[in-house]
Amino acid sequence: MKKKKVVIIGSGVAGLSTAIRLANGNYDVTVLESNNYVGGKLSEFSQNGFRFDKGPSLFTLPNLVLDLIKESGLEKEVKFDFEKLDLVCNYFFEDGTKFSAYSELTKFTDELKSKLNVEAEPIVKHLKHAEKTYHLIGELFLEQSLHQLKNFTNKKTAKALLQLSHYRLFKTLNQHNEAVLKHPKLVQYFNRFATYNGSSPYLTPAMLSIISHVEHGFGAYFPKKGMYQITDTLYNIALKKGVKFSLNTKAEQILVENKKVISVQTINAKIDADIVVSNMDVFHTYKKLLPYEKHPDKILNQEKSSSALIFYWGIKHNFKELDLHNIFFSNNYKEEFDAIFTKKEVYNDPTIYINITSKKLKTDAPDGCENWFVMVNTPNNSGQDWKAIKEQTKQNVLKKLNRILGLDVAPLIAFEDYLDPILIEERTSSHLGALYGNASNNKMAAFLRHPNFSKDINGLYFCGGSVHPGGGVPLAILSGKITAQLIKEKQY
């Protein structure tokens, strides 16, 4: 029987995940990538002796990568080495308070008792609630399509729906955290998990507390060659399974005939396809690749997630007080999120995240140096003056770091590059530079994402952070799993 031809547009993590699973299912898979590298946001670069992961820096749920290796029958050929973090992240506050989030619960609660004078009971209660929520709705929301009726008529779904009061549907994440945790710094810590999908804890539903369970319940990890090792591993699996890659190949249009995909037009050729999967942002998929088809404008015009301003700094110093992951909190978290989502501004006292992979991988920086990935949450691009914002934010970041670290950081910067919302959109086709597609600042957000399939065009599918189940490395891999399953069930 002749293999069905699949063309996947984009080689982000979701595209690679989809490609591997379809190749395992005996489909003829070709991946088109407009850049000269694979991975989308999860790529890397090196300069002046420093190596940087360009995008995602926190690694959770490594079993999703291991599952792909196992499903491909490549356990003996493909090795994916990683370590579980004992110390997940260091947290710094303007008043001199500092604490470390440890993976082991008792060690974490002991740390918070010592540094914040809070008892273990509310923390354990909060995390138990998050764990129960995850086990009730995790599979329903993250591992299957929310846009097929059959997925709402099974026993697991019925059990989840019978627990509606548990989800705090009418509370925001911040309201839920305040009610249980009380202590302002502890609330701020647990509010931070809203940023994992580009949302505001003062708007996003309490159900998003499940994110804290992913980090605290399953743990945080470090791929021993850096985050790009995830991309490299998936790419190698795909190659071994016969997936064909065409780099520097920009898709220009998805051609449709009688409501059925027939091919993908590139600048050089027309590639026939029985099935097309777009790993490109769903907004640009419709606007650029399907200009003559009906567009789901209500979904496409929904509020987008936050973006980021990222500085890649080569630092001529070793900071013993810093670890792999570090957070320097703003003094007024509420004002910061109001600035991002209401005023569409970068806050003048931003929360700063610094990832330093050279703490684990010494070759990522020269001797005596560190590679700093410095990120500030920003609004998505709505025409702001990003050149001026970049310069002002850099000064605000340096002043904050100087205050808290007690050292002038600017003279230590030996190398600098940056990424802003405009460049994020240019390089990854993320609409407005939004890192996670639509924001989750709505209690129905999970149901409002675009499905992984087209309801109007036969053979057209979608994967990636702009569609179900959302953004971030684990969800992108799961997006590919859902999409591949939908295609297999259709039995083309």
Side-chain angles (χ1 to χ4, degrees):
M1 185 176 177
K2 189 178 179 182
K3 289 184 179 182
K4 294 295 183 181
K5 291 185 178 181
V6 180
V7 174
I8 298 176
I9 300 169
S11 67
V13 170
L16 294 173
S17 170
T18 308
I20 292 166
R21 288 187 161 93
L22 291 178
N24 288 340
N26 206 33
Y27 290 81
D28 180 352
V29 183
T30 299
V31 177
L32 308 181
E33 173 54 58
S34 61
N35 292 307
N36 62 358
Y37 56 85
V38 299
K41 297 183 184 74
L42 195 58
S43 53
E44 67 174 355
F45 76 98
S46 297
Q47 192 74 38
N48 295 17
F50 298 93
R51 190 199 71 87
F52 298 91
D53 290 309
K54 285 185 182 179
S57 55
L58 179 68
F59 182 41
T60 56
L61 302 178
N63 59 292
L64 297 178
V65 178
L66 298 179
D67 286 348
L68 279 168
I69 296 172
K70 184 176 181 180
E71 289 171 23
S72 303
L74 295 172
E75 298 99 316
K76 293 182 179 179
E77 297 177 55
V78 177
K79 299 301 178 185
F80 181 68
D81 296 321
F82 56 90
E83 63 174 289
K84 186 173 183 179
L85 301 177
D86 172 39
L87 193 166
V88 178
C89 186
N90 286 326
Y91 292 87
F92 300 83
F93 297 82
E94 286 280 0
D95 65 2
T97 302
K98 172 193 169 185
F99 68 78
S100 298
Y102 292 98
S103 61
E104 203 281 312
L105 181 56
T106 301
K107 193 172 182 180
F108 181 47
T109 55
D110 286 347
E111 170 80 351
L112 294 176
K113 171 67 175 175
S114 171
K115 300 298 177 61
L116 300 183
N117 194 28
V118 294
E119 299 300 327
E121 183 182 359
I123 302 161
V124 173
K125 179 182 178 182
H126 188 278
L127 290 172
K128 287 290 184 185
H129 181 275
E131 180 181 18
K132 182 179 179 181
T133 304
Y134 183 90
H135 287 299
L136 281 170
I137 65 172
E139 183 176 336
L140 170 64
F141 280 82
L142 304 179
E143 298 185 31
Q144 61 184 16
S145 172
L146 288 183
H147 304 86
Q148 291 182 307
L149 183 60
K150 68 173 185 176
N151 292 330
F152 290 90
T153 57
N154 55 54
K155 289 182 179 179
K156 283 188 176 181
T157 304
K159 182 181 177 182
L161 292 176
L162 287 172
Q163 300 279 335
L164 283 177
S165 62
H166 176 80
Y167 308 131
R168 311 290 195 267
L169 290 177
F170 299 102
K171 283 189 173 183
T172 65
L173 183 61
N174 175 69
Q175 289 168 338
H176 171 58
N177 289 341
E178 284 186 332
V180 180
L181 300 166
K182 313 294 185 187
H183 193 290
K185 286 185 171 64
L186 199 54
V187 171
Q188 189 170 13
Y189 168 76
F190 279 97
N191 275 353
R192 188 180 77 84
F193 289 103
T195 66
Y196 283 36
N197 70 357
S199 302
S200 165
Y202 305 95
L203 298 171
T204 201
M207 194 182 294
L208 267 293
S209 65
I210 65 171
I211 299 174
S212 63
H213 174 64
V214 173
E215 187 167 304
H216 281 279
F218 297 116
Y221 298 80
F222 179 72
K224 291 193 173 179
K225 295 180 182 178
M227 289 294 287
Y228 184 71
Q229 184 184 349
I230 300 169
T231 293
D232 194 48
T233 299
L234 299 185
Y235 179 51
N236 283 324
I237 295 171
L239 289 174
K240 289 179 182 295
K241 299 303 293 187
V243 176
K244 298 178 284 293
F245 287 84
S246 184
L247 304 183
N248 295 308
T249 304
K250 184 177 180 180
E252 296 195 328
Q253 189 177 343
I254 298 170
L255 299 176
V256 178
E257 193 173 277
N258 298 322
K259 295 298 179 182
K260 168 75 173 72
V261 296
I262 57 169
S263 60
V264 176
Q265 180 69 56
T266 72
I267 194 169
N268 295 318
K270 186 183 292 184
I271 305 171
D272 292 338
D274 299 298
I275 300 154
V276 174
V277 181
S278 179
N279 183 204
M280 189 178 184
D281 187 296
V282 68
F283 182 92
H284 289 306
T285 299
Y286 280 102
K287 299 297 183 180
K288 295 182 178 180
L289 303 185
L290 293 161
Y292 306 114
E293 303 301 320
K294 179 182 175 183
H295 294 177
D297 290 323
K298 188 173 180 181
I299 292 178
L300 299 185
N301 293 329
Q302 285 173 9
E303 179 189 16
K304 301 306 172 191
S305 79
S306 59
S307 186
L309 184 57
I310 300 169
F311 296 99
Y312 305 97
W313 287 344
I315 299 290
K316 299 180 295 182
H317 187 75
N318 281 324
F319 285 82
K320 294 181 179 179
E321 62 269 61
L322 301 181
D323 204 79
L324 174 64
H325 302 292
N326 310 272
I327 293 284
F328 297 79
F329 273 125
S330 68
N331 230 7
N332 192 320
Y333 222 32
K334 178 76 163 62
E335 282 190 5
E336 181 176 11
F337 283 96
D338 283 345
I340 294 171
F341 287 100
T342 304
K343 299 177 181 177
K344 301 294 183 183
E345 299 173 351
V346 180
Y347 192 49
N348 58 13
D349 174 34
T351 295
I352 304 163
Y353 166 69
I354 302 180
N355 174 243
I356 311 172
T357 59
S358 60
K359 294 288 186 180
K360 295 289 183 182
L361 190 59
K362 300 300 182 185
T363 55
D364 277 359
D367 289 344
C369 299
E370 296 177 347
N371 62 332
W372 283 20
F373 170 104
V374 183
M375 188 179 88
V376 169
N377 291 316
T378 75
N380 52 57
N381 179 37
S382 58
Q384 301 94 327
D385 183 349
W386 288 105
K387 182 177 180 181
I389 290 172
K390 177 177 80 76
E391 291 306 317
Q392 184 59 59
T393 302
K394 178 181 176 180
Q395 296 310 310
N396 291 339
V397 165
L398 288 170
K399 288 175 184 176
K400 188 177 185 72
L401 294 178
N402 294 349
R403 288 194 304 269
I404 296 176
L405 295 175
L407 191 64
D408 190 1
V409 175
L412 305 177
I413 301 173
F415 165 78
E416 177 179 284
D417 201 351
Y418 76 97
L419 200 58
D420 63 19
I422 292 176
L423 290 173
I424 290 170
E425 180 163 24
E426 285 180 1
R427 295 175 186 178
T428 69
S429 291
S430 301
H431 181 47
L432 305 180
L435 293 176
Y436 305 92
N438 291 344
S440 295
N441 294 331
N442 184 304
K443 60 178 175 288
M444 296 301 292
F447 299 95
L448 297 175
R449 284 187 175 273
H450 194 287
N452 301 77
F453 60 94
S454 170
K455 296 178 180 179
D456 300 312
I457 302 172
N458 193 24
L460 177 61
Y461 294 83
F462 307 86
C463 64
S466 67
V467 299
H468 179 70
V473 175
L475 295 191
I477 295 175
L478 288 172
S479 178
K481 181 178 182 179
I482 292 167
T483 302
Q485 186 60 38
L486 289 170
I487 293 169
K488 292 175 183 177
E489 287 175 357
K490 195 72 179 286
Q491 296 183 339
Y492 287 93

